[in-house]
Amino acid sequence: MSVKEITFNRVLTRDGKTMMARGRNLRLFLLLIPILLTPRLIRAQDGSLEQAKKEGRVVWYTAMALEMAEQVANIFEKTYGIKVELTRSASERVVARVIQEAQAGINNVDVIEISEAGDFALLKQKGLLRAHRPKNYERFPSTFLLDKDGYFHAWRATIAQPVYNTRLVLASAVPKSWKDLVDPIWKDKQLKVHYVSGAGTNVMAAITKIYGWDYYRNLRKNNPVIVQAASQGVSVVAAGERAILVEGNYYNTVRVKAKGNPVNVIFPSEGAVLVLSPAGIAQKAPHPNAAMFFLEYMFSEKIQQLLIDNTRLYVPHPNAKYPSDMPPLSQLKTLAVPVDELVKRQSEIKRMFTEIFGL
Amino acid sequence: MNKASSKLGEPLAQIFRVNFRPRLDPSLPTWIGACGLVGVLVGVPLWWLVTTSLRGEQGLTLAHYQQIFSDRALLRAVRNSLLIAFWASLLATAVGSLMGWLIARTDVPFKQLFRALVLASFVTPPFVGAFAWTMLAGPNAGWFNHLYRYTSGLEGYLFNIYSFEGVIFVIFLYSYPYAFTMITNALEPVSSEMEEAAAILGANRFRTALTITLPLITPALLGGFIFAFVHALALFGVPAILAMPAGFHTITTQIWVLLSQVPQEFEIVAALSVFLLLVAVVLLSLQKRVLGRKGFATITGRGMRRSPIELGRWRYPALIFCFFVVALAVFLPYLVLIKAAFSKAWAMPLKLENLTLDNWRVAVTGYSATKDAVINTLVLGVLTGTLGVGLAAFVAYAVNRKLFRGYQTLAYLSVAPTVVPAIVLAAGLLIAYSGPPFFLYGTIWILLLAYLTKELPVGYTQVDTTMKGIHIELEEASRILGAHRLSTMRSITLPLAKGGIIAAWLLMFIGAVRELSASILLYTSKSWVLSVLIIDLQNHGVIEVIAVLSILMLIFTFITVAFMQKFVGRDTLGLNE
């Protein structure tokens, strides 16, 4: 990165008032306006490595499966020598934690990444995020652009779909649709994910749009065990403790299957549910430069390709190459719930889930 | 500079030593200081809880309490908690006292071994037990159900640990030692003359047991029951692992969920906490009355004769019964944990190619939180033990030597935290110290406060017992010979109380290391502890790694217990939690 670009970045990181106060920078700024307005540069600060290194660490709260998140963190640490402090929790818990810490005046988190866009909109609304557009964002597929103000972008997309144990479910008996899952033959054999998980909320939002809450009232009759996260559910199915996980996901199943476990996914006829996982930077990030650097790293071609290769996630990067066993997102029949709808229905989903499943 | 100050210092020192000291009565400020410190530890969080529970949009309100009893979900959680605690403690009292009687009174073999194994069940954190039991009695993959299907050729399952009964069962497994201890403590000092008298008058063994022994131990039975009940009510880990997947809440898991979602409902949590606190206070004061009632004159002045009751043909069934209990609480869970810790996937059959050491590598180096958790856990354990034992020893000394007026208040305050369930304490601390003027939330210090408060009664009771055994005349002799109180303490009291103080330190250390119910509300990603990590990793499905961490936690605990046995050299299984 050239020196010029660094100076220029500094100008941009300041808000309007600070810039006006610095007459010297103002002139420079006016000169730069035409360049600034070109989209390539509006993406703004990608944080210089030196500044990020000076801060020494970046704190990342994530809802990604632990193993994969560790891998992303480890590569970053090895490549740049900046420590990643990783905390993994269910989406809702991550958000509750961020809000709780903000209320207590604790600035701990730098980068937040969860699987529930509705909750992310809540964070933005509470002023807990800062805008940052990753490199190449204008070339991202529009599905991944979740916020028009650039506060958060989907870092990855997961296909939420039922997962079954191939030893416990005969090939002929494998359910073909979401509808099939409420069949009483699956009584005492299912797992369902709690609404604290992004997969849980997204699937419930999508399925109730088709079948209404009666779908879940019927599912309740099958007496499913409730788990807190899709990743937990997949390993319970893998161990043979339950036959079917209602809201599993593709990337976790691939990961667990690769270890030789008898699991597989179902592509339901109504469509799988596309769960977008937004990432953004905390407003009061204690390591702002490292945060930006890490976010850019998350959206970099190398890491995005890694997400595809290792776990079969869909990613926004325009150069991403998908292997033959992954159908292009455009050809996949998916049900996606828009962000504003997730925001609107959040309390309804919680209330109905609690009413039906008792938790 | 040095010279000048020492010149100045000498007369000052003289003044202080000769003139000021005798006039200045240090007891009042010390009393205020000690009571203040202990009072703040317990008082501040509880005060915040009560005020928060009454906080309304305008002024004070009881609406949050009304909500507990009108909101169906909350009411269900309250009912579940009470029912689970009732059945678990009933079972624990029945089994624990029967076993206690067998060990204390009869000729059942391997008594010392069983005592050790009851101690092992006592120190096993209940959440570790619950986790192990998911692998033993999960309806489909659990060992027992595999065995059942294999032997019977039937479909389905025999046991489902993810159920109401499952929660009761696991809580029972780790609370029967309370009744066991209370019964053995009640029976051991009793001479067997009365039982012999009954036998001479022609009563058979069981009539004797029913008419003599049972009445003797009734207070202990009731006391053990209430203690187990309050303990069960306050547990978080077992319902978190077993009840939530089954789709029901207890008060403790409900509190946790209300605090870990958006928006957080502090007022309801405070109201639930105060309710839980009131139940505990009422029950424990009831227990105190039961146990404090004038007992029977069981301990006579004449020489004690104790001859074990001969069980005859019941001897081996009794042995099998005892063995069965400890197998369920200790052997089987430990076995399944060890197997999982060394397996690629825990449910795979035990074959060489399924074995791996990789889980240990992942647990120790793979996940960055693990190292922090182990370090924090040990640091907090050591700090809790050290600071706690200092405080406990000071209070116990002051109370026993009646150093100042009002020492009873101090004694009372020091045992007051016993009645506060850990999760209630934590909710109070969370509300009290996460806003101005104290920002302790997000550091390990808030955990230290919680642990210190929770363990103070443990340490105090232990040191107090020791202190009671040291007669004041030894100290008086030293004082008469011219030693100050402090040097007397150092050269007389402390060496005599050493065993008790070390025991108190170790007990508080264990308490802190295995603490979960308070930690779960107070931890942040900057303050991981091992117990919370074990619960948290459940959500990631890395069962094998959790098994490794559970074993680590058990190793810490057992090393401490071994030290305790060495230093104190007697039965350390007191009712100290």
Side-chain angles (χ1 to χ4, degrees):
Chain A
M1 177 176 287
S2 72
V3 180
K4 245 185 214 162
E5 220 175 321
I6 293 170
T7 338
F8 155 69
N9 282 340
R10 283 218 186 112
V11 175
L12 258 189
T13 48
R14 309 202 180 276
D15 54 311
K17 275 180 198 156
T18 335
M19 277 190 302
M20 298 308 262
R22 295 182 138 223
R24 216 171 15 148
N25 284 348
L26 181 66
R27 245 182 18 222
L28 181 68
F29 177 71
L30 288 174
L31 278 172
L32 285 174
I33 280 179
I35 311 169
L36 281 172
L37 288 180
T38 61
R40 157 88 179 78
L41 287 170
I42 281 190
R43 64 164 181 82
Q45 351 49 350
D46 58 356
S48 82
L49 181 57
E50 292 75 42
Q51 284 165 318
K53 268 193 170 157
K54 224 174 275 166
E55 291 165 352
R57 63 183 58 222
V58 59
V59 181
W60 179 28
Y61 289 3
T62 178
M64 188 178 216
L66 190 60
E67 229 169 291
M68 193 60 213
E70 287 268 327
Q71 202 179 347
V72 172
N74 286 340
I75 298 174
F76 186 76
E77 282 180 6
K78 285 206 184 95
T79 318
Y80 301 107
I82 299 169
K83 192 174 157 30
V84 182
E85 273 180 29
L86 174 74
T87 301
R88 195 267 169 211
S89 223
S91 296
E92 172 100 1
R93 301 238 147 82
V94 172
V95 175
R97 170 144 300 213
V98 171
I99 293 173
Q100 186 177 15
E101 290 182 350
Q103 279 166 354
I106 299 165
N107 304 322
N108 187 39
V109 63
D110 292 307
V111 174
I112 307 157
E113 186 261 328
I114 57 170
S115 297
E116 223 267 73
D119 275 337
F120 233 89
L122 184 74
L123 289 180
K124 179 193 168 194
Q125 200 186 317
K126 286 186 177 278
L128 297 176
L129 297 177
R130 64 167 69 178
H132 178 86
R133 297 192 192 276
K135 228 180 264 182
N136 293 324
Y137 86 95
E138 69 282 359
R139 289 167 60 208
F140 287 2
S142 60
T143 331
F144 290 82
L145 300 174
L146 296 175
D147 183 49
K148 60 181 191 319
D149 303 320
Y151 280 83
F152 53 95
H153 302 76
W155 176 50
R156 58 182 168 109
T158 315
I159 307 292
Q161 57 197 150
V163 173
Y164 67 99
N165 183 306
T166 50
R167 281 199 203 126
L168 299 178
V169 182
L170 295 174
S172 56
V174 174
K176 292 181 179 58
S177 63
W178 293 104
K179 186 110 198 168
D180 287 351
L181 295 176
V182 296
D183 193 313
I185 58 165
W186 302 117
K187 189 162 174 10
D188 290 329
K189 289 183 176 160
Q190 287 173 324
L191 284 169
K192 166 159 188 20
V193 177
H194 196 270
Y195 67 74
V196 293
S197 143
T201 306
N202 276 278
V203 172
M204 282 192 277
I207 297 301
T208 48
K209 255 167 84 179
I210 308 176
Y211 296 121
W213 283 105
D214 274 342
Y215 178 86
Y216 286 100
R217 289 197 184 91
N218 290 329
L219 191 74
R220 172 73 186 90
K221 290 181 193 145
N222 281 346
N223 217 4
V225 161
I226 309 293
V227 287
Q228 305 281 314
S231 48
Q232 183 187 7
V234 175
S235 53
V236 175
V237 171
E241 181 46 60
R242 291 261 143 170
I244 295 182
L245 168 63
V246 177
E247 301 99 339
N249 50 33
Y250 194 61
Y251 86 108
N252 270 310
T253 311
V254 169
R255 180 176 61 86
V256 172
K257 198 176 171 181
K259 290 186 179 171
N261 285 299
V263 287
N264 209 351
V265 290
I266 296 165
F267 279 95
S269 56
E270 297 95 332
V273 178
L274 192 67
V275 180
L276 292 155
S277 307
I281 297 175
Q283 172 61 30
K284 293 191 175 162
H287 316 101
N289 291 296
M292 279 184 248
F293 203 76
F294 185 68
L295 197 80
E296 288 298 343
Y297 159 83
M298 286 167 76
F299 281 97
S300 70
E301 189 172 343
K302 182 184 161 197
I303 291 306
Q304 296 260 293
Q305 193 63 45
L306 183 81
L307 296 184
I308 300 173
D309 295 344
N310 284 13
T311 60
R312 299 293 187 264
L313 283 163
Y314 289 94
V315 295
H317 201 282
N319 301 347
K321 287 177 192 63
Y322 292 96
S324 53
D325 61 316
M326 275 179 93
L329 207 48
S330 52
Q331 284 174 28
L332 212 61
K333 190 173 178 190
T334 58
L335 310 162
V337 188
V339 181
D340 46 344
E341 203 177 310
L342 278 175
V343 176
K344 242 181 269 162
R345 295 192 55 201
Q346 232 173 16
S347 61
E348 174 209 337
I349 290 172
K350 280 180 197 170
R351 197 186 65 242
M352 292 305 294
F353 177 88
T354 310
E355 192 182 308
I356 296 170
F357 294 97
L359 276 179
Chain B
M1 193 58 203
N2 253 339
K3 260 187 181 170
S5 72
S6 70
K7 257 182 198 162
L8 256 174
E10 260 169 65
L12 263 179
Q14 265 178 4
I15 290 169
F16 272 101
R17 200 173 300 148
V18 183
N19 297 334
F20 280 176
R21 244 186 70 146
R23 268 191 230 150
L24 190 79
D25 179 11
S27 61
L28 188 67
T30 320
W31 181 81
I32 292 173
C35 283
L37 186 63
V38 178
V40 162
L41 277 180
V42 198
V44 170
L46 293 189
W47 165 254
W48 274 94
L49 271 184
V50 173
T51 51
T52 310
S53 73
L54 295 172
R55 191 167 68 198
E57 303 261 295
Q58 300 119 357
L60 298 178
T61 172
L62 282 174
H64 307 303
Y65 290 96
Q66 273 167 6
Q67 197 177 338
I68 298 181
F69 295 102
S70 57
D71 184 316
R72 267 194 314 180
L74 292 178
L75 197 59
R76 245 190 337 247
V78 170
R79 202 196 56 199
N80 289 341
S81 270
L82 294 173
L83 280 176
I84 287 172
F86 176 79
W87 288 111
S89 41
L90 195 67
L91 208 58
T93 311
V95 171
S97 52
L98 180 54
M99 214 171 145
W101 175 72
L102 286 173
I103 302 292
R105 266 299 191 244
T106 70
D107 62 345
V108 73
F110 307 121
K111 282 185 183 178
Q112 283 317 308
L113 179 70
F114 280 124
R115 275 177 198 275
L117 288 167
V118 173
L119 178 63
S121 351
F122 178 67
V123 297
T124 304
F127 61 89
V128 169
F131 167 67
W133 270 91
T134 62
M135 293 184 272
L136 289 171
N140 296 308
W143 283 10
F144 285 145
N145 292 311
H146 266 311
L147 191 69
Y148 163 75
R149 281 189 295 267
Y150 184 76
T151 49
S152 69
L154 295 171
E155 288 278 303
Y157 55 83
L158 198 56
F159 307 101
N160 178 6
I161 203 72
Y162 298 103
S163 63
F164 210 76
E165 296 75 24
V167 178
I168 291 172
F169 173 71
V170 172
I171 293 182
F172 142 69
L173 279 185
Y174 299 99
S175 50
Y176 83 89
Y178 292 115
F180 176 90
T181 316
M182 285 213 154
I183 297 303
T184 46
N185 284 349
L187 282 178
E188 260 160 11
V190 179
S191 133
S192 50
E193 283 165 358
M194 282 185 242
E195 283 155 352
E196 280 160 17
I200 290 166
L201 291 172
N204 66 21
R205 275 191 301 268
F206 292 97
R207 178 120 192 242
T208 310
L210 216 63
T211 53
I212 305 290
T213 321
L214 193 64
L216 278 179
I217 59 174
T218 309
L221 278 180
L222 267 172
F225 173 79
I226 295 176
F227 206 90
F229 188 94
V230 174
H231 174 252
L233 212 54
L235 275 184
F236 169 79
V238 179
I241 293 170
L242 301 177
M244 284 171 59
F248 65 94
H249 269 308
T250 60
I251 298 178
T252 49
T253 58
Q254 184 70 64
I255 287 176
W256 176 64
V257 163
L258 288 171
L259 284 179
S260 59
Q261 67 180 24
V262 194
Q264 295 171 308
E265 313 218 32
F266 284 112
E267 288 82 7
I268 303 283
V269 166
L272 272 175
S273 303
V274 172
F275 172 76
L276 199 57
L277 177 66
L278 286 179
V279 174
V281 168
V282 168
L283 285 174
L284 287 175
S285 51
L286 196 71
Q287 185 209 27
K288 211 168 151 53
R289 282 183 59 178
V290 169
L291 288 182
R293 212 163 50 190
K294 193 97 186 97
F296 304 94
T298 50
I299 308 174
T300 53
R302 276 162 291 148
M304 285 254 296
R305 279 203 313 119
R306 279 206 273 156
S307 48
I309 296 167
E310 283 170 26
L311 287 172
R313 64 195 164 93
W314 288 98
R315 196 165 174 232
Y316 288 98
L319 175 68
I320 291 169
F321 166 77
C322 292
F323 181 78
F324 186 65
V325 174
V326 294
L328 294 180
V330 181
F331 292 145
L332 287 166
Y334 286 22
L335 205 63
V336 78
L337 281 179
I338 292 170
K339 192 212 159 194
F342 291 101
S343 297
K344 282 182 184 150
W346 71 269
M348 286 181 180
L350 194 60
K351 281 187 211 150
L352 204 58
E353 68 258 29
N354 290 339
L355 294 183
T356 176
L357 282 174
D358 201 49
N359 302 321
W360 292 77
R361 186 192 58 76
V362 173
V364 177
T365 62
Y367 186 30
S368 50
T370 321
K371 207 177 72 194
D372 298 349
V374 171
I375 294 172
N376 284 342
T377 301
L378 293 177
V379 166
L380 282 167
V382 169
L383 282 178
T384 307
T386 311
L387 293 176
V389 99
L391 198 59
F394 171 76
V395 173
Y397 183 77
V399 169
N400 274 290
R401 295 298 173 254
K402 305 185 173 59
L403 284 192
F404 30 67
R405 256 180 300 162
Y407 62 88
Q408 298 98 331
T409 326
L410 195 56
Y412 176 75
L413 279 175
S414 303
V415 292
T418 319
V419 301
V420 187
I423 200 162
V424 171
L425 178 69
L429 287 169
L430 185 67
I431 300 172
Y433 297 117
S434 64
F438 300 107
F439 289 105
L440 288 180
Y441 177 72
T443 65
I444 64 168
W445 309 121
I446 196 166
L447 287 165
L448 181 64
L449 268 188
Y451 295 177
L452 263 183
T453 315
K454 194 177 162 228
E455 298 303 323
L456 183 63
V458 178
Y460 170 73
T461 322
Q462 182 70 36
V463 183
D464 183 60
T465 315
T466 313
M467 218 64 108
K468 280 201 171 79
I470 302 168
H471 200 276
I472 195 161
E473 51 193 28
L474 293 167
E475 285 169 28
E476 279 165 353
S478 157
R479 296 291 294 280
I480 288 165
L481 292 171
H484 285 292
R485 187 177 284 286
L486 275 179
S487 56
T488 304
M489 241 177 121
R490 197 169 48 236
S491 55
I492 306 287
T493 323
L494 271 181
L496 286 172
K498 200 175 79 185
I501 285 175
I502 293 174
W505 191 95
L506 293 167
L507 276 172
M508 293 171 100
F509 176 83
I510 291 189
V513 164
R514 53 182 277 179
E515 213 297 319
L516 169 69
S517 309
S519 319
I520 193 80
L521 295 190
L522 299 174
Y523 88 102
T524 62
S525 51
K526 282 185 159 176
S527 46
W528 280 107
V529 290
L530 208 44
S531 56
V532 172
L533 190 63
I534 288 174
I535 291 291
D536 188 75
L537 284 174
Q538 297 256 314
N539 299 342
H540 310 324
V542 279
I543 292 166
E544 298 75 24
V545 177
I546 307 171
V548 172
L549 295 178
S550 302
I551 290 174
L552 275 183
M553 173 165 265
L554 289 173
I555 290 175
F556 290 154
T557 311
F558 280 107
I559 289 176
T560 322
V561 171
F563 267 113
M564 199 141 66
Q565 300 283 27
K566 184 173 163 354
F567 279 113
V568 190
R570 61 182 170 82
D571 188 15
T572 45
L573 174 56
L575 261 181
N576 282 311
E577 202 172 326

